[in-house]
């Protein structure tokens, strides 16, 4: 719910940077309208940073939600949740440590995999990245 602010700041910064570029000036000189500049010049250059932002925000949101659920202020108990599972398992840690270890490792693997996927998306779509 609150994660959109970072993406909005990123988009605003990109638009402020892109509107000073030569291809936008060329479109203005050719008397292109504001909607043409927006949809044909700016938006195609904005989709990669927005996609990268969302790809990197997903693991952060999963971790935040699991932490809130672990503290008891997340998802309501009949629904399955990583944090609630870890919270329930912490009561039985001394009897069976695997009950806590398995969901913790799986949550770690999920977040790590999504972070690596986000980094891969960023490397694939970032035009300023060095390819070599």
């Amino acid at each position: 719910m609150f994660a959109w602010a970072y993406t909005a700041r990123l988009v605003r910064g990109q638009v402020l940077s892109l509107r000073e570029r030569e291809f936008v000036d060329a479109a203005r000189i050719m008397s292109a309208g504001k909607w043409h500049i927006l949809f044909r010049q700016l938006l195609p250059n904005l989709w990669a940073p927005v996609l990268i932002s969302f790809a990197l925000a997903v693991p952060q949101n999963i971790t935040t939600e699991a932490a809130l659920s672990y503290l008891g202020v997340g998802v309501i108990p009949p629904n399955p949740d990583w944090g609630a599972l870890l919270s329930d398992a912490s009561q039985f840690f001394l009897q069976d440590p695997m009950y806590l270890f398995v969901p913790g490792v799986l949550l770690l693997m999920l977040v790590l995999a999504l972070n690596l996927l986000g980094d891969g998306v960023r490397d694939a779509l970032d035009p300023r990245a060095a390819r070599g």
Side-chain angles (χ1 to χ4, degrees), residues 20-33:
E20 303 299 326
R21 305 273 304 266
E22 292 84 17
F23 61 89
V24 175
D25 289 338
R28 281 190 196 128
I29 290 171
M30 294 173 49
S31 69

Side-chain angles (χ1 to χ4, degrees), residues 34-74:
K34 289 182 182 180
W35 294 108
H36 173 81
I37 292 173
L38 177 66
F39 286 109
R40 297 285 186 183
Q41 308 298 328
L42 295 179
L43 284 181
N45 290 300
L46 287 175
W47 74 272
V50 170
L51 183 64
I52 292 167
S53 172
F54 282 129
L56 292 175
V58 168
Q60 178 184 8
N61 291 336
I62 289 174
T63 306
T64 302
E65 190 273 329
L68 288 173
S69 243
Y70 180 80
L71 295 173
V73 292

